[in-house]
Amino acid sequence: MWQEVTRAVNDTTNGPGTESAKLSSLQLSRDDTDGLEDAPAPRVRFPTPPPLDHHGPARIIGIVNQKGGVGKTTTAINLGACLAELGRKVLLVDFDPQASLTIGLGIDPLSLDGSTYDLVIDPETTAEDIRVKTCVDGMDLLPSDISLSGAEIQLVSEVARETTLSRELEPLRPDYDFILIDCQPSLGLLTP
């Protein structure tokens, strides 16, 4: 088989029927690869975390990257679901105006009464007002919508604007083990 592969490479490189000394010296025999294909991958066994007798205070983790399409939202959903499956209480925070996390969890951002925009702009709105249960037991969501894109401009004149989200999440820390923040693909004011 390896000879056929080498012959095909030679034919495409140098034309049909020619031999390349360079490529023929790289030919692998079947004996050189015996055992490599059949070797099982080493199995890593992670210890099962012990069950919790209480929850909190939550560890807050921001999933941040200035580039889009690198898996921030996918990481937030999967990490949150895995932690919830292990008995941890998880709060996901969608802090992206594209609302990919909200949509990814099956929630229509256009049908929401409140979002993270209201949380950071309206002093009357609390995280409890916008919190949504997800289909995963032990995992909740603070949803987002397109209106969050205007929050950066509105927060410019606010004092301590960079700690707005942190102040809103602080009362929820005793109720959760992890708070995962899915951020927008930029390094602007809304990036924790």
Side-chain angles (χ1 to χ4, degrees):
M1 181 175 142
W2 289 106
Q3 292 171 347
E4 293 171 19
V5 171
T6 305
R7 191 174 306 120
V9 170
N10 284 338
D11 289 348
T12 57
T13 307
N14 303 319
T18 60
E19 288 289 319
S20 168
K22 185 176 179 184
L23 287 177
S24 60
S25 68
L26 295 176
Q27 283 184 353
L28 297 175
S29 71
R30 181 75 175 137
D31 298 335
D32 294 338
T33 60
D34 276 349
L36 292 179
E37 317 172 328
D38 301 329
R43 218 173 223 157
V44 178
R45 300 208 186 270
F46 294 102
T48 303
L52 297 177
D53 54 354
H54 68 284
H55 296 285
R59 176 178 287 177
I60 299 175
I61 301 171
I63 302 171
V64 182
N65 195 315
Q66 66 183 5
K67 184 181 180 314
V70 296
K72 295 181 298 294
T73 300
T74 303
T75 300
I77 291 173
N78 289 319
L79 181 59
C82 288
L83 289 168
E85 187 177 303
L86 291 172
R88 297 338 187 226
K89 287 196 66 177
V90 180
L91 176 66
L92 299 178
V93 180
D94 192 350
F95 217 51
D96 183 356
Q98 297 177 45
S100 300
L101 182 62
T102 302
I103 295 167
L105 291 171
I107 298 166
D108 180 12
L110 301 175
S111 67
L112 297 171
D113 293 331
S115 70
T116 49
Y117 168 79
D118 301 303
L119 184 65
V120 296
I121 296 299
D122 183 9
E124 300 294 317
T125 303
T126 66
E128 191 65 42
D129 297 334
I130 65 168
R131 183 168 50 180
V132 176
K133 294 277 184 203
T134 67
C135 59
V136 178
D137 289 336
M139 189 168 81
D140 297 332
L141 170 70
L142 297 182
S144 178
D145 62 11
I146 191 66
S147 60
L148 186 60
S149 60
E152 202 159 357
I153 296 167
Q154 291 177 290
L155 287 172
V156 167
S157 62
E158 292 291 321
V159 175
R161 60 187 171 262
E162 61 279 348
T163 62
T164 304
L165 181 62
S166 177
R167 287 192 312 262
E168 295 298 331
L169 293 178
E170 193 59 36
L172 296 175
R173 286 190 69 210
D175 300 334
Y176 292 96
D177 299 307
F178 292 93
I179 298 175
L180 305 177
I181 305 170
D182 181 33
C183 299
Q184 64 180 341
S186 72
L187 297 178
L189 184 60
L190 295 180
T191 304

